[in-house]
């Protein structure tokens, strides 16, 4: 049956949405399901043929999509973040890149007998992991904080760095192929680099100045930056053949490292764009994969993949770990985790097409080779990483920490009390003043929306398995509650009660969120903020035979509000109802207490000398 192009385009969108939803439900990288969906729709069922649907526009569309991907990735590459994440990450980027590139190149050349140009490009592309595949894996595995940070920051940094290396290798191949003599090839390559770096730097500076000085209205920041970037990409390609990808990468890096340039909204805009654009791109690319091309690679394909996963990655880790504090268990775990992602697949498809046009016959092996590397690494490592982490004893023992939505004064007081008990705690807020104050108080904090795509790669949830919603932002409260109910479970997501005004305005609350309400004896955020403004403080109290729970209540004239209880097994539990808690001796209470206890007020009013209080000093 013949179907229309419009119907096929709509099917691509629906399939991409289904794959994203399925990945969300099973908590695995979406790229695995997108590739599987594209292969099923293309070579397996024959339903989707991208060449027929897009015709001559296929690779212009792919090239523009790759430019957007590389630009977004480069916007996350900040020099201060590279310097601030330890010797292992700093070593792993150059050492790991060089080792992986060399082994990948030699393996492709000697085992698969492809040309040196194609082998070198494969080696360069194979170094890229990427946060889109690392983040879901870390959420599922939950290794200890040290290993999680290494893998997370490696993925963030290697994404644009690896893409830049692949672009430079490709430019060298193209420029070499255009010249009959060494000097001419060197001239073409130099021209490409000059155009890419010069136009990219100038474009990044101009766009940064326009954003910083508000030369564009706020509603044009996202669309204007995207359109300007695509225009710069096309202009660069006209001035020097295939220099556009280098240009947009340099442009993004330049903007990321300019001061006072508001790029957070641009990154957030990319999140919505990537769900549609990148998801559809992967289905289209996977639909072009031919089983025959994979079969032609034979057992050599398995050998190349084994060398990259079992030789190149361990060699990169052990060489990079020289002089660090990592033990052999840490190194073994890191040696197994290196899933490839979006940039590898997109760049390989575009460059393979360009090399085939230049007459490199073996370039056809590049796409199936990269796609099989992605499928093998994502599938095997997603399925085995958690058992391996437990076997090596590098997994977090329990996710007992708290993510607090809100960095307001009340949330900060609670966060500081939990931190003193050595409980992992992270505050998230979109208010910069609150975030700044939390950082000054040495609290771990995330500035932004905790349910955003940016948070999925930058918000460190290592050791955290609970959400406390202590925020006045009603819309964000609801979004965060729904989002983390699926991650933590309904017993680990707790929100404050709504005030009377809110309940009257809404009439009713969604049943799923209503189940989470009732934190801290059903108090509302407005009530908590009011108590804090009256001088109430968060205090930690140790109970004993001499100072019981009743003594504690009497001391504060039953005006204290118990927020958490810590039992003798050091298990911390948020309090829902004051009447329901029955703390025993040796338990610890974290409470919101009035400015002065009843006995202290009496002593102040009567002038009596203070007696030795039975309560031990607060921790």
């Amino acid at each position: 049956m013949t179907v229309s192009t419009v119907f096929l385009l709509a099917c691509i969108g629906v399939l991409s949405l289904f794959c994203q939803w399925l990945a969300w439900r099973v908590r695995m990288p979406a790229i695995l399901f997108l590739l599987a969906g594209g292969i099923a729709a293309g070579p397996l069922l024959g339903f989707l043929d991208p060449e027929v649907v897009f015709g001559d526009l296929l690779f212009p569309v792919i090239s523009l999509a790759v430019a957007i991907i590389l630009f977004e990735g480069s916007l996350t590459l900040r020099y201060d973040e590279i310097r601030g994440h330890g010797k292992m990450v700093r070593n792993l980027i150059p050492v790991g890149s060089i080792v992986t590139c060399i082994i990948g190149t030699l393996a492709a050349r000697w085992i698969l007998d492809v040309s040196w140009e194609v082998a070198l490009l494969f080696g360069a592309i194979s170094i890229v992991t990427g946060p889109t595949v690392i983040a879901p894996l870390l959420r599922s595995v939950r290794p200890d904080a040290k290993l999680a940070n290494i893998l997370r920051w490696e993925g963030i940094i290697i994404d644009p760095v690896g893409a830049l290396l692949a672009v430079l290798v490709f430019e060298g191949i193209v420029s070499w192929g255009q010249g009959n003599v060494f000097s001419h090839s060197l001239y073409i390559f130099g021209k490409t680099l000059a155009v890419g770096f010069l136009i990219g730097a100038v474009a990044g500076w101009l766009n940064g100045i326009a954003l910083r000085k508000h030369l564009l209205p706020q509603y044009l920041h996202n669309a204007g930056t995207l359109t300007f970037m695509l225009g710069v990409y096309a202009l660069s390609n006209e001035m020097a053949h295939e220099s556009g990808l280098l240009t947009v990468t340099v442009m993004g890096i330049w903007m990321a490292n300019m001061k006072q340039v508001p790029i957070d909204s641009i990154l957030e805009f990319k999140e919505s764009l990537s769900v549609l654009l990148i998801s559809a791109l992967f289905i289209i690319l996977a639909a072009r994969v031919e089983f025959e091309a994979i079969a032609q690679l034979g057992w050599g394909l398995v050998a190349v993949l084994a060398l990259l996963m079992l030789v190149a990655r361990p060699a990169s880790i052990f060489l990079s770990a020289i002089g660090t504090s990592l033990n052999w268990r840490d190194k073994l775990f890191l040696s197994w985790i290196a899933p490839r992602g979006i940039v590898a697949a997109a760049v390989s498809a575009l460059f393979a097409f360009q090399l085939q046009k230049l007459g490199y016959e073996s370039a056809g092996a590049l796409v199936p080779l990269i796609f099989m590397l992605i499928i093998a690494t994502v599938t095997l490592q997603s399925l085995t990483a958690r058992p391996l982490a437990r076997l090596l004893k590098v997994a977090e023992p329990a996710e007992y920490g708290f993510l607090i939505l809100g960095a307001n004064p009340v949330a900060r007081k609670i966060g500081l009390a939990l931190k003193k008990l050595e409980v992992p705690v992270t505050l998230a807020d979109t208010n910069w003043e609150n975030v700044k104050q939390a950082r000054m108080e040495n609290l771990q904090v995330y500035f932004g929306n905790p349910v955003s795509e940016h948070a999925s790669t930058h918000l460190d949830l290592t050791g955290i398995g609970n959400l406390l919603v202590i925020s006045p932002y009603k819309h964000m409260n609801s979004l965060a509650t729904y989002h983390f109910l699926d991650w933590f479970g309904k017993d680990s997501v707790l929100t404050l009660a709504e005030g009377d005004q809110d309940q009257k305005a809404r009439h009713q609350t969604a049943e799923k969120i209503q189940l989470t309400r009732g934190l801290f004896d059903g108090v509302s955020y407005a009530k908590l903020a009011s108590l804090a403004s009256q001088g109430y403080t968060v205090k930690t109290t140790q109970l004993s035979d001499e100072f019981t729970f009743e003594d504690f209540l009497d001391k504060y004239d039953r005006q204290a509000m118990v927020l958490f209880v810590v039992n003798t097994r050091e298990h911390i539990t948020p309090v829902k109802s004051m009447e329901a808690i029955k703390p025993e001796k040796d338990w610890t209470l974290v409470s919101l207490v009035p400015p002065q206890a009843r006995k202290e007020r009496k002593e102040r009013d009567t002038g009596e000398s203070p007696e030795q209080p039975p309560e031990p000093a607060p921790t």
Side-chain angles (χ1 to χ4, degrees), residues 423-502:
V423 176
V425 59
T426 297
L427 281 63
D429 205 316
T430 56
N431 185 303
W432 172 245
E433 290 300 323
N434 287 341
V435 169
K436 182 172 66 174
Q437 188 61 40
R439 288 177 177 171
M440 292 176 62
E441 296 175 6
N442 202 26
L443 286 167
Q444 183 169 320
V445 65
Y446 173 77
F447 176 47
N449 186 347
V451 304
S452 65
E453 184 71 19
H454 183 269
S456 68
T457 55
H458 290 76
L459 176 57
D460 185 9
L461 294 179
T462 304
I464 290 177
N466 304 276
L467 173 70
L468 300 181
V469 179
I470 308 176
S471 160
Y473 312 127
K474 301 178 182 61
H475 178 66
M476 185 178 295
N477 295 349
S478 300
L479 291 177
T481 301
Y482 273 112
H483 179 79
F484 287 102
L485 274 172
D486 294 295
W487 283 106
F488 298 150
K490 65 182 181 65
D491 293 333
S492 298
V493 176
L494 298 172
T495 67
L496 298 172
E498 289 185 335
D500 295 337
Q501 297 294 330
D502 297 328

Side-chain angles (χ1 to χ4, degrees), residues 172-188:
I173 294 172
V174 171
S175 61
W176 184 269
Q178 290 180 356
N180 297 322
V181 295
F182 176 78
S183 59
H184 184 65
S185 295
L186 190 61
Y187 164 75
I188 296 295

